[in-house]
Amino acid sequence: MALTEAEFFPIEYSLREIELARELGSHKISAHAGFGESSRHTRYVERLAAAGALDSDLLLVHGWSLSDHELELMVRHGTTLAVTPETELQMGMGFPALARFAELGGRAGLGIDIVSNQSSDMFTQMRLALQTSRGYDNDRLARRRLFPAHLRMTTEDVLESATIDGAHALGLGHEVGSLTVGKRADLLLIRKRDINMAPVNDAAAAVVLYANTGNIDTVIADGVIRKRHGQLTHPNLDDLIDQLQESTTTVLMRANEFDLAERMHFVRQIFPTDRKSSIEQRLAAKVFRTKAAAPLHDRLIRYLIKRTRIDG
């Protein structure tokens, strides 16, 4: 179950939805959190922890602006993280939090947030995650007039994020994510003799740095062949493409009916897209992040949780 985007709102909204998801026996409960500078002040994970709601069935997405303390809380309670590099970079949500989460003992999976708006292949996401993470580290060194002597994130690290760590984030590490006897047969066979791949001296580096979807020869999902000899095996691919085009046309026609000024009014109440809302959010964040105000903020959180908790 995916929660309402409730990071900016009273915690009661998230608590009610989490309670419902657990009553329904949801395998994973997903929520977007840590949207970048616009949500740094919300302390969303701290509020969930104070309410006793953090657990291993929660999967948070993005996470860049979560504090180290919040990431540590996630690791402590088994709450997992997925990062979506292309969306985060485009939409002002910060840089991929893979390395930060790993340093604190977590294992972040790699994902794609909006396939209608970004690339839908994982090769792109791996390269973006790798190089933006390295770029962020290098920029911090450059500010101290230093040149990097070592690269913190490796190609093996990001390949694991796209495979076994992604399975772990979804609570499926015992079923998929690695080539292990007893797991589902989920396989990608990549041609290493394609000109953009050859010669392959380091398999992980070749997959992360050089491969693209055109190099995939065979795809097997749960034992079923979905692609063979570079061609999809879907029996009615042309009909599927026609359905996609028809759906797109319908969505765009409906979108033209929206009042964009009205939508932007609501957006500005959450995201600081103008100077006024930006100043207001910065002031609120400074007040609640000061040592003097922290105890007051914590008491306010506990009061609101107690007032809004649902019994029975």
Side-chain angles (χ1 to χ4, degrees):
M1 179 178 286
L3 304 184
T4 303
E5 307 277 325
E7 185 178 18
F8 297 91
F9 299 101
I11 199 66
E12 64 180 285
Y13 293 101
S14 290
L15 295 180
R16 288 174 178 173
E17 293 184 355
I18 290 172
E19 183 177 9
L20 174 61
R22 287 171 176 164
E23 286 178 0
L24 295 174
S26 295
H27 173 73
K28 272 289 180 176
I29 307 167
S30 175
H32 290 214
F35 287 164
E37 289 299 327
S38 64
S39 67
R40 189 180 292 275
H41 64 286
T42 63
R43 297 176 68 180
Y44 183 65
V45 172
E46 289 185 41
R47 289 185 287 155
L48 289 177
L54 280 186
D55 210 333
S56 59
D57 58 358
L58 281 178
L59 168 63
L60 302 185
V61 183
H62 304 311
W64 165 253
S65 61
L66 298 178
S67 67
D68 285 349
H69 175 56
E70 288 180 299
L71 294 178
E72 287 172 349
L73 285 172
M74 290 174 59
V75 173
R76 190 184 311 163
H77 290 86
T79 300
T80 54
L81 178 70
V83 301
T84 62
E86 196 164 4
T87 295
E88 290 154 12
L89 292 169
Q90 175 181 303
M91 297 183 67
M93 296 180 181
F95 293 90
L98 286 172
R100 284 183 62 216
F101 198 55
E103 285 185 343
L104 296 169
R107 297 166 59 190
L110 197 62
I112 303 168
D113 189 357
I114 310 172
V115 293
S116 61
N117 201 39
Q118 270 88 46
S119 169
S120 60
D121 75 273
M122 291 295 288
F123 298 108
T124 297
Q125 308 309 319
M126 285 193 290
R127 277 193 281 275
L128 280 171
L130 177 69
Q131 305 301 22
T132 54
S133 296
R134 289 175 170 179
Y136 177 74
D137 288 344
N138 294 344
D139 183 65
R140 288 192 297 176
L141 288 172
R143 294 174 186 274
R144 297 162 52 198
R145 300 183 181 278
L146 295 174
F147 195 81
H150 303 283
L151 296 172
R152 176 168 59 160
M153 180 170 286
T154 67
T155 53
E156 289 87 351
D157 292 335
V158 75
L159 184 58
E160 286 185 358
S161 294
T163 53
I164 187 60
D165 287 348
H168 166 75
L170 291 170
L172 296 173
H174 60 293
E175 295 185 29
V176 296
S178 64
L179 301 181
T180 304
V181 174
K183 288 189 178 183
R184 295 182 185 180
D186 280 6
L187 308 172
L188 294 181
L189 305 184
I190 299 173
R191 292 187 297 268
K192 68 177 184 179
R193 291 189 61 81
D194 286 357
I195 189 61
N196 63 303
M197 295 290 293
V200 175
N201 298 307
D202 181 319
V207 170
V208 173
L209 297 176
Y210 308 135
N212 59 59
T213 55
N215 300 124
I216 298 176
D217 180 87
T218 303
V219 175
I220 303 174
D222 199 13
V224 179
I225 297 176
R226 301 296 185 181
K227 186 177 185 179
R228 171 171 272 174
H229 305 312
Q231 299 296 319
L232 294 174
T233 60
H234 193 288
N236 300 305
L237 197 57
D238 287 339
D239 291 341
L240 178 60
I241 293 173
D242 289 341
Q243 292 175 32
L244 289 171
Q245 185 59 58
E246 182 179 348
S247 175
T248 299
T249 302
T250 302
V251 169
L252 293 176
M253 288 177 59
R254 292 174 58 193
N256 289 330
E257 300 173 1
F258 292 159
D259 184 335
L260 293 181
E262 180 186 42
R263 295 300 191 274
M264 283 305 300
H265 170 73
F266 290 115
V267 167
R268 290 193 183 98
Q269 293 182 34
I270 301 175
F271 296 102
T273 59
D274 58 12
R275 183 173 176 78
K276 179 177 179 293
S277 59
S278 176
I279 292 174
E280 289 174 347
Q281 286 204 7
R282 288 202 302 272
L283 286 174
K286 285 184 178 180
V287 169
F288 284 115
R289 285 294 184 185
T290 61
K291 290 183 179 180
L296 175 62
H297 194 194
D298 291 338
R299 285 197 296 271
L300 178 61
I301 289 173
R302 286 195 293 270
Y303 167 75
L304 291 173
I305 290 170
K306 182 178 180 181
R307 191 188 70 177
T308 60
R309 184 175 293 282
I310 301 171
D311 297 320

